Amino acid sequence: MPHQASAPEHRTSTTERGSFAHAHCTCGWAGPARRSRDKARTDAEQHESAG
């Protein structure tokens, strides 16, 4: 049976710049810029659950 490549693992994190945050993932996904910390965390959680 041929080896199938697995989907990239999704590990999200947020980066803060001043009072704004930016969500990103190890798969290459990046959330919208200039988000509140809470919104950036929500963006990351939604990305992980969709992946």
Side-chain angles (χ1 to χ4, degrees):
M1 181 176 266
H3 174 58
Q4 293 180 347
S6 61
E9 186 174 348
H10 295 275
R11 292 186 185 212
T12 58
S13 59
T14 57
T15 303
E16 295 185 18
R17 289 188 182 166
S19 60
F20 295 100
H22 180 81
H24 46 92
C25 182
T26 56
C27 76
W29 171 85
R34 294 186 55 95
R35 306 291 261 178
S36 69
R37 290 175 185 92
D38 288 340
K39 185 61 179 161
R41 283 191 289 269
T42 300
D43 292 342
E45 290 169 2
Q46 289 176 345
H47 173 74
E48 279 191 21
S49 66

